[in-house]
Amino acid sequence: MAVAFGLSSGTAPDRFLVGLAVLSLPAEMAEEQPLVCVVDDAQWLDRVSAQTLAFVARRLLAERVALVFAVRGPMHGPADDQLVGLPELVVRGLRDGDARALLGSVVHGRIDKRVEDRIVAETRGNPLALLELPRGLTPAELAGGFGRPDARPLESQIEQTFLRRIGSLPIATQRLLLAAAAEPVGDVPLLRRVAERLAIGPEAVVAAEAAGLIEFGARVRFRHPLVRSAAYRAAAPGDRQDVHRALAEATDPESDPDRRAWHRAHAAVEPDEAVAGELERSADRAQARGGIAAAAAFLRRAAELTPDPAGRGARALAAARASLEAGAPDAALELLAAAKIGPLNDLQRAQLARTCSQIVFARMRNSDAVPLLLRAADRLERLDAGQAREAYLEALGAAVFAGRLDEQGGLRDVADAARAAPPGPQPPRPMDVLLDGLATRFGEGYVTGAAPLRRALQAFRQDAGRHEDDNMRWLWLTWLVAGDVWDDEAWHELTTRAVRRARDTGALNVLPLALAYRAVVHVHAGEFAEASALIEESDAITKATGNAPLRYGSLLFVAWRGESAEVSAVIQADVDEAAVRGEGRAIGLGDYLIAVLYNGLGRYDVALASAERACEHDDLGGLGFSLAELVEAGALGDAHEVAATALRRLDERATASGTEWALGILARSRALLSEGRAAEELYREAIERLARTRVGVHLARADLVYGEWLRRENRRLDAREQLRTAYEMLHRFGAEAFAERARRELLATGESVRRRMVTREGLTAQEAQIARLAGDGLTNSEIGAELFISPRTVEWHLHKVFTKLAVNSRSQLRGALADT
């Protein structure tokens, strides 16, 4: 927080790591006594401040802390969407009788009944309006004037009242109020220095306080924020500039250079390079504090004040990129439009085009961004080979997500363009190796591209610690590649590192993605409890940050659990939403998930149809899995010809991959379409290979289909052994549909198997995660830092965990968790 406030230097903190620090402060203070924090006029908070405070509010659970946001609704500021979903208490107006009593307390003369009725009706019981509006009426108007109803909104009427009252004050008092309104932090000594420069005497302070508009104490406090806005709006532009100039001159350039630069910027009447340069330096300091939104604001004003057209365009471009990073794409587009006007050099125009393309992709993740990114990459080729290759990789990623809905050439054309890109810096960065691998994969086919993609994954794994932040940036692609080549070790290592790095740095913009991907790794490993906890944490963070939820992990989880066929409707709804957006890859993934669901439920006809649709397009990280589901659905559902065709495609890919996971799935799939001794050898090979991987659910399914085959061969005793192993594993994982499939087969062998019930009260996902971390020896403070909650909340959860598991010490947690 010291870095964020500019009190000390250091690495720019992620804004949500700052949120965790803010959370710790009231939590620690509440250890001494209960604490209420009131955030007044929250609708005027800047977006990052609102985001940070809302993050804190959503994570207050066991602390003796109440956080209250006072909001004037309806909200129309940058904080609107951050506070959505918090508990609300609507403060309504006074009842009619109370409103009349309050009005009577401030009107000392006679008030006409009809005038009173109008004021009570128009103010709708708003106490501030009842106190302020009568002050703008003359005694004659109060006593008998009919007064026309004002069509302005109530808030506007109140501000007009303040405007009239300010206009009736002496000129010096009005200038004092203007200076106080222009000075954002209520610094009384600074305001005194400004008053001296503007020749404002002490009588102005007396008059302002006597009018009941402002108080001068330890800080300057306006009676109401509308007084401040009215005082600023009432002034002529020249007076505002004079006041800002005086504020700049009175501000210490050493201790507060940024505020001084801001006032100088508002005092400027025409472009001024000296002022613009100061603002640019302020932007650099803001970025060093992690204040990317403030940096964008400084750069925007710097661009406006830059006299040289070329320099103005360059600063507008920098402001646009900062605005995009700050999560303000609309502002970024506006600044890019301003930058286009200037005489940018070729590199800047290429960077502008790339930034436009990034905004398009971030908003929709569809094919619209692909040609834009390709054109930007083509421009960059002649100017900066490193940036050009990054743009080509972004174009490939955009094409991957557009998938089957890309009507503008498809992945092959993008890959051909990327393969013609100039060589990057030497030695090549991991992303350069990844670009070459993906270009080969989609340009020459999976078989040729598998080896280059494995080399790319190896480059990212070996680069640990050197370019970690840059490597995290490409996680969304490297993770897909690891699945595409069936590399469970790379899956595990990349996601483990990404989660750890995001936690260590507080990068909550990256952490939800890393958690969701890590959850998928846990699902395939059969670690459903771990997956559930990470999905819950990812959802909580995306809710706190206001980002779009990441659905694939949770949908994969429910598909593998397979508790009911109704899950397919949930999956389909998500697919339909993605299709409207133009994200074609989600269509294939949705069909794959439905195939998993119905293979588990034994509905092979439905699984077959879904798997066939999934296999219509070569989705990165999806087609291989879908082919395996298609083989199983076809083999067990009497569609052997379809299964055989799918097996040939799967054979080609798995052989090219060569990993134990790929060859294990291939052996299992071959066995499903084989007979006699050949089938048994293949089943055993599949089990042996998959036992050497991290993908426990696939190993359990190999045991299941082997047991089913043995039962059909009338080898009941052998079948029971395999089916019992499959049932135990699948039930322990939580893959209920596949476990039930194994249980039915066991019954068919003559073995009686009861459906197992959990006898103890189940832990929530977060309770389970906290219990595991506590069992691993972490302290409450360490667990809180890991999960972005306070130590008291950890203690509160652990108390419930101990009760549910019937244990009384941390040392007993591991054993109790294993039992459940």
Side-chain angles (χ1 to χ4, degrees):
M1 289 188 71
V3 174
F5 281 112
L7 302 177
S8 65
S9 59
T11 303
D14 182 273
R15 58 181 180 267
F16 293 105
L17 186 59
V18 175
L20 178 60
V22 175
L23 171 63
S24 71
L25 292 180
E28 289 179 13
M29 293 180 68
E31 292 295 325
E32 301 175 7
Q33 62 179 357
L35 179 69
V36 177
C37 305
V38 180
V39 183
D40 203 7
D41 284 304
Q43 74 276 5
W44 288 332
L45 288 171
D46 64 274
R47 180 179 178 84
V48 175
S49 297
Q51 196 174 50
T52 303
L53 291 170
F55 173 81
V56 172
R58 290 187 170 93
R59 305 192 92 71
L60 290 172
L61 183 62
E63 295 76 16
R64 299 182 298 172
V65 178
L67 180 54
V68 181
F69 296 92
V71 177
R72 290 182 178 273
M75 295 174 65
H76 299 294
D80 298 16
D81 57 344
Q82 304 303 315
L83 305 182
V84 171
L86 294 177
E88 294 183 10
L89 173 65
V90 178
V91 181
R92 305 191 183 280
L94 299 176
R95 290 175 294 183
D96 192 74
D98 295 326
R100 293 179 188 278
L102 181 60
L103 179 61
S105 72
V106 294
V107 177
H108 302 295
R110 179 178 175 273
I111 181 169
D112 183 83
K113 182 67 169 64
R114 289 165 297 182
V115 174
E116 180 184 272
D117 290 343
R118 180 177 69 85
I119 293 174
V120 169
E122 287 184 355
T123 57
R124 296 179 178 86
N126 184 314
L128 176 67
L130 287 163
L131 292 172
E132 298 297 340
L133 287 181
R135 301 189 186 195
L137 300 175
T138 66
E141 287 175 315
L142 289 170
F146 292 93
R148 67 177 183 84
D150 202 319
R152 291 190 303 272
L154 180 59
E155 188 171 283
S156 176
Q157 291 181 49
I158 299 172
E159 189 172 11
Q160 288 298 320
T161 300
F162 289 139
L163 282 168
R164 287 194 294 271
R165 289 170 62 186
I166 291 168
S168 68
L169 295 172
I171 296 299
T173 305
Q174 291 184 43
R175 297 202 86 187
L176 177 68
L177 290 171
L178 171 60
E183 200 286 301
V185 296
D187 187 335
V188 174
L190 174 64
L191 200 58
R192 288 201 185 103
R193 295 197 297 272
V194 170
E196 291 177 6
R197 291 175 181 275
L198 296 175
I200 299 172
E203 67 279 358
V205 176
V206 175
E209 290 191 316
L213 297 173
I214 197 169
E215 297 175 3
F216 294 91
R219 289 276 178 187
V220 177
R221 286 182 59 86
F222 283 96
R223 173 182 174 83
H224 186 273
L226 287 175
V227 177
R228 180 180 176 182
S229 62
Y232 197 82
R233 287 176 55 188
D239 290 337
R240 292 181 198 168
Q241 289 160 353
D242 290 343
V243 163
H244 279 294
R245 190 174 298 108
L247 281 164
E249 292 168 353
T251 300
D252 185 351
E254 296 297 326
S255 63
D256 203 348
D258 298 336
R259 197 167 10 151
R260 181 177 182 273
W262 191 247
H263 285 308
R264 286 194 69 193
H266 281 75
V269 295
E270 59 185 17
D272 187 322
E273 177 57 33
V275 177
E278 274 193 45
L279 288 170
E280 192 168 35
R281 289 188 288 276
S282 292
D284 292 339
R285 286 190 290 269
Q287 280 192 301
R289 297 193 299 268
I292 189 65
F298 281 125
L299 288 168
R300 182 185 189 114
R301 184 61 177 151
E304 293 168 355
L305 292 175
T306 303
D308 173 52
R312 184 166 57 248
R315 283 170 174 156
L317 176 58
R321 296 167 77 172
S323 296
L324 177 59
E325 188 178 345
D330 291 336
L333 284 173
E334 183 182 334
L335 285 160
L336 289 174
K340 286 180 183 177
I341 299 172
L344 301 177
N345 61 37
D346 290 343
L347 178 59
Q348 289 167 335
R349 289 205 171 277
Q351 291 170 334
L352 186 149
R354 182 184 173 194
T355 305
C356 282
S357 309
Q358 290 169 332
I359 294 172
V360 171
F361 179 61
R363 280 179 160 175
M364 297 300 291
R365 291 195 182 278
N366 61 19
S367 60
D368 291 350
V370 176
L372 301 176
L373 284 163
L374 284 176
R375 284 198 290 272
D378 182 62
R379 281 176 152 184
L380 285 164
E381 277 192 16
R382 300 178 296 277
L383 307 164
D384 188 315
Q387 289 191 53
R389 292 178 67 81
E390 290 176 13
Y392 275 120
L393 187 53
E394 289 167 350
L396 270 171
V400 164
F401 274 86
R404 64 193 70 196
L405 296 181
D406 187 355
E407 299 176 355
Q408 304 180 50
L411 273 164
R412 180 63 180 266
D413 289 350
V414 181
D416 288 344
R419 293 171 72 192
Q426 295 297 322
R429 301 163 293 177
M431 63 80 42
D432 292 307
V433 186
L434 177 62
L435 173 64
D436 293 337
L438 283 173
T440 304
R441 156 77 165 81
F442 291 111
E444 299 183 32
Y446 183 92
V447 173
T448 307
L453 287 180
R454 288 199 304 273
R455 286 195 294 273
L457 291 175
Q458 191 63 22
F460 275 93
R461 294 170 68 180
Q462 291 176 344
D463 197 57
R466 283 179 288 179
H467 305 94
E468 202 67 40
D469 291 334
D470 192 50
N471 292 342
M472 270 205 309
R473 175 186 165 201
W474 300 107
L475 176 67
W476 61 288
L477 274 175
T478 55
W479 184 82
L480 294 177
V481 167
D484 201 52
V485 297
W486 312 81
D487 190 338
D488 55 303
E489 287 296 333
W491 245 18
H492 168 74
E493 185 176 332
L494 291 172
T495 54
T496 300
R497 275 170 37 197
V499 169
R500 185 187 304 118
R501 179 66 177 173
R503 287 198 194 283
D504 290 346
T505 59
L508 296 200
N509 54 334
V510 175
L511 182 56
L513 178 72
L515 289 170
Y517 284 171
R518 181 67 199 163
V520 172
V521 176
H522 281 305
V523 170
H524 283 275
E527 298 162 350
F528 285 16
E530 288 86 343
S532 177
L534 295 186
I535 289 167
E536 183 175 280
E537 185 182 357
S538 176
D539 289 346
I541 295 173
T542 52
K543 184 177 180 180
T545 59
N547 294 332
L550 302 158
R551 299 281 295 151
Y552 176 61
S554 58
L555 293 176
L556 180 74
F557 177 68
V558 297
W560 271 95
R561 283 184 65 89
E563 293 177 329
S564 74
E566 296 172 2
V567 171
S568 65
V570 177
I571 297 172
Q572 191 59 52
D574 200 70
V575 169
D576 292 343
E577 181 184 334
V580 170
R581 192 168 62 244
E583 188 178 327
R585 184 174 183 275
I587 297 174
L589 291 178
D591 284 323
Y592 159 69
L593 294 174
I594 292 174
V596 171
L597 172 68
Y598 281 104
N599 269 334
L601 294 169
R603 295 278 305 279
Y604 303 117
D605 54 336
V606 183
L608 182 78
S610 295
E612 283 187 299
R613 290 193 298 271
C615 294
E616 290 173 357
H617 190 87
D618 188 2
D619 289 309
L620 184 70
L623 179 57
F625 296 147
S626 299
L627 287 169
E629 297 300 327
L630 181 55
V631 171
E632 183 166 330
L636 300 180
D638 295 326
H640 287 224
E641 188 173 334
V642 173
T645 301
L647 178 60
R648 285 192 290 272
R649 297 174 67 189
L650 179 63
D651 191 338
E652 184 180 64
R653 300 170 74 89
T655 303
S657 167
T659 66
E660 291 290 338
W661 184 6
L663 297 176
I665 293 294
L666 176 60
R668 189 184 79 190
S669 301
R670 282 174 172 170
L672 284 164
L673 291 172
S674 302
E675 297 179 355
R677 182 168 183 162
E680 184 158 20
E681 288 177 353
L682 286 167
Y683 281 124
R684 290 186 178 278
E685 178 189 346
I687 292 169
E688 288 173 5
R689 288 188 181 279
L690 292 172
R692 294 193 286 268
T693 70
R694 295 178 178 272
V695 288
V697 290
H698 300 283
L699 171 61
R701 282 180 66 175
D703 281 307
L704 172 59
V705 291
Y706 183 26
E708 288 173 334
W709 179 80
L710 289 168
R711 202 269 304 165
R712 290 194 300 273
E713 294 289 306
N714 292 318
R715 294 166 56 182
R716 293 191 174 189
L717 291 178
D718 294 336
R720 287 175 187 171
E721 181 181 348
Q722 295 301 140
L723 291 169
R724 199 180 297 117
T725 299
Y727 178 70
E728 294 287 345
M729 291 175 67
L730 292 164
H731 180 77
R732 185 173 73 251
F733 297 160
E736 298 303 331
F738 285 103
E740 178 60 17
R741 208 173 109 182
R743 193 185 74 86
R744 288 196 304 267
E745 287 290 325
L746 275 169
L747 291 174
T749 67
E751 181 165 319
S752 178
V753 185
R754 291 184 179 181
R755 286 193 178 92
R756 297 190 178 180
M757 304 294 291
V758 177
T759 55
R760 295 175 178 174
E761 185 182 354
L763 302 180
T764 67
Q766 189 165 59
E767 287 169 355
Q769 193 171 18
I770 289 171
R772 279 191 295 277
L773 293 172
D776 288 340
L778 274 68
T779 66
N780 287 0
S781 296
E782 290 169 336
I783 296 170
E786 179 99 353
L787 302 182
F788 297 98
I789 55 179
S790 74
R792 178 176 281 274
T793 296
V794 175
E795 181 182 350
W796 183 74
H797 278 302
L798 278 176
H799 178 74
K800 295 200 296 179
V801 167
F802 281 15
T803 301
K804 289 181 179 182
L805 297 182
V807 300
N808 52 29
S809 72
R810 292 179 181 235
S811 61
Q812 297 173 310
L813 282 174
R814 276 182 169 249
L817 288 170
D819 290 343
T820 57

